[in-house]
Amino acid sequence: MGNRNSTDKVKRNPSINKTNNRSHIKKEFEPTLPSTLPTSPTSPTSSNEEKETLKYYLPNDNNDIDRQHAHHFIKRYLFQSYFSAPIVIGEGVKVLDVACGAGTWLLDLANEYKDSIFYGLDIAPVFPAEIKPENLTFIKEDIFNGLPFPDNTFDFVHMETMAYILTPEKWHYAISELIRVTKPEGYMELSEAYYNKNEGFGPIYIKLAEAICKSSLQRGVDLKFTDQLESVLRSRQTITNVDIDEKVVIIGPNGGKVGTIFMDLYIQFCSTDSAVEGLCPYLNMSKDEYKEFIFKDYRNEICQSKNAKLYMVRYWAQKVNNN
């Protein structure tokens, strides 16, 4: 999660469902909460060393797959929709999810919209290989080899939760690739989260967040880059109608069931074996001290906090039609 200062202003969209006179078909529901292009010569490369360091941020065991599923369902509940871009999902519409992970977002959509065509792409094949809807195809591929699709292929392109993975250079490349494969007048959407350490967070959380930021910077990943996503999108001449949809969550029991689930998901994320290995040096703690820090100190602090805010943001834009 990125970190914004209290003085930063966030644009809120007062009419998210009306853009260019196109109706936004969003599934309104009350879901149950869960207890062939060559590689671009300018594309960033991923060395073996980089792939090794990404293990912390790309775990693929069963526990993390469960966490990905839960994260999808809680976000869907929070936004009351699968996405916020004003795209009409209907017969023949083609949708791509980049870095799809376990594929939960796509599995939901493919079952809901059986006349549409869905593709998921990820470097780690943790998505289902066989048991999936017929209108859904998963591809094992690295986006930094270039997306394996021609220009102007998809009506809607989606990517989320990449803040812990992408360097600024790779963010710019990934956005260029998403735009390239989107059809003219089609939509792309990014979904990320950020927090403001001055809004309800105590010293334990701030200490943990700063350690994560430092460990990320060692890989060239700046977690604050997500603060710039809206301006980065607005700077692109090939897209227009840039907008955002934002929801606020109070982390912990004072945020109700939603806040408690987000707290538990964050604890799970920070307590994997690779997270323990990666963060202990930055916190100057042994593994046992770190586990007590996460499961006791951090949990207790968040449970007592009344206003620890997490901002979930969807950034979307429409590709320009130059014809």
Side-chain angles (χ1 to χ4, degrees):
M1 294 177 290
N3 173 16
R4 287 187 180 173
N5 297 322
S6 59
T7 56
D8 290 343
K9 295 182 179 179
V10 178
K11 178 180 178 296
R12 288 170 174 80
N13 179 16
S15 56
I16 195 72
N17 295 324
K18 295 181 180 179
T19 300
N20 296 340
N21 296 320
R22 298 182 64 184
S23 63
H24 179 193
I25 298 181
K26 294 198 298 182
K27 185 66 176 177
E28 298 296 340
F29 46 75
E30 288 290 338
T32 303
L33 284 177
S35 359
T36 79
L37 287 179
T39 304
S40 167
T42 59
S43 63
T45 58
S46 297
S47 65
N48 291 332
E49 182 179 355
E50 287 178 314
K51 291 177 181 178
E52 185 71 20
T53 60
L54 283 177
K55 284 183 178 180
Y56 165 32
Y57 302 95
L58 296 174
N60 58 5
D61 57 19
N62 289 333
N63 289 334
D64 190 71
I65 291 173
D66 289 343
R67 184 183 62 80
Q68 290 182 40
H69 291 326
H71 190 245
H72 163 73
F73 290 121
I74 192 66
K75 286 177 64 178
R76 191 185 75 176
Y77 176 85
L78 184 64
F79 283 94
Q80 291 293 291
S81 65
Y82 296 110
F83 51 86
S84 295
I87 177 71
V88 177
I89 302 293
E91 184 176 357
V93 168
K94 298 181 72 174
V95 178
L96 171 66
D97 188 19
V98 176
C100 64
T104 321
W105 185 82
L106 286 167
L107 290 164
D108 256 10
L109 281 170
N111 278 302
E112 183 74 28
Y113 300 101
K114 298 184 184 299
D115 293 330
S116 301
I117 304 166
F118 299 90
Y119 286 84
L121 179 144
D122 203 292
I123 191 173
V126 297
F127 41 75
E130 297 179 0
I131 303 176
K132 59 182 178 62
E134 292 183 357
N135 59 334
L136 172 56
T137 301
F138 288 111
I139 300 171
K140 180 181 180 298
E141 185 56 82
D142 185 347
I143 183 178
F144 300 109
N145 292 330
L147 290 173
F149 305 102
D151 297 356
N152 309 323
T153 297
F154 295 95
D155 300 281
F156 184 39
V157 180
H158 173 266
M159 187 174 75
E160 68 175 65
T161 318
M162 299 295 282
Y164 290 92
I165 299 171
L166 301 185
T167 64
E169 179 190 12
K170 289 185 175 182
W171 264 114
H172 287 289
Y173 178 79
I175 290 171
S176 294
E177 280 293 279
L178 267 58
I179 295 171
R180 180 183 66 77
V181 301
T182 302
K183 293 179 180 179
E185 298 187 0
Y187 288 87
M188 58 170 287
E189 182 169 298
L190 307 173
S191 180
E192 296 293 337
Y194 74 89
Y195 72 96
N196 180 352
K197 66 181 181 181
N198 297 318
E199 291 187 325
F201 290 102
I204 300 296
Y205 179 86
I206 293 173
K207 184 176 181 179
L208 174 61
E210 288 177 347
I212 293 174
C213 286
K214 289 178 181 178
S215 67
S216 298
L217 285 173
Q218 287 295 313
R219 300 181 295 109
V221 173
D222 183 359
L223 297 182
K224 296 180 181 180
F225 186 83
T226 53
D227 299 356
Q228 306 173 36
L229 281 180
E230 185 178 359
S231 61
V232 168
L233 294 176
R234 292 188 181 280
S235 70
R236 297 298 183 107
Q237 296 182 354
T238 51
I239 54 176
T240 187
N241 296 324
V242 176
D243 220 326
I244 71 171
D245 190 5
E246 179 183 272
K247 303 297 181 184
V248 182
V249 180
I250 302 298
I251 302 297
N254 284 303
K257 194 169 185 179
V258 171
T260 299
I261 292 173
F262 269 108
M263 176 187 71
D264 289 340
L265 289 174
Y266 191 68
I267 289 174
Q268 290 175 27
F269 177 74
C270 292
S271 59
T272 62
D273 290 341
S274 48
V276 175
E277 292 282 352
L279 293 177
C280 280
Y282 292 93
L283 291 165
N284 194 27
M285 295 179 181
S286 67
K287 293 181 180 180
D288 289 340
E289 289 171 335
Y290 175 82
K291 290 178 181 179
E292 182 175 4
F293 176 75
I294 293 294
F295 289 109
K296 181 181 177 181
D297 299 341
Y298 168 75
R299 181 183 287 275
N300 288 342
E301 180 179 87
I302 291 297
C303 286
Q304 294 172 15
S305 174
K306 297 181 179 180
N307 197 35
K309 293 180 180 178
L310 174 68
Y311 295 83
M312 307 297 297
V313 189
R314 290 171 172 174
Y315 309 82
W316 52 268
Q318 185 177 28
K319 187 169 178 177
V320 171
N321 187 347
N322 290 319
N323 295 331

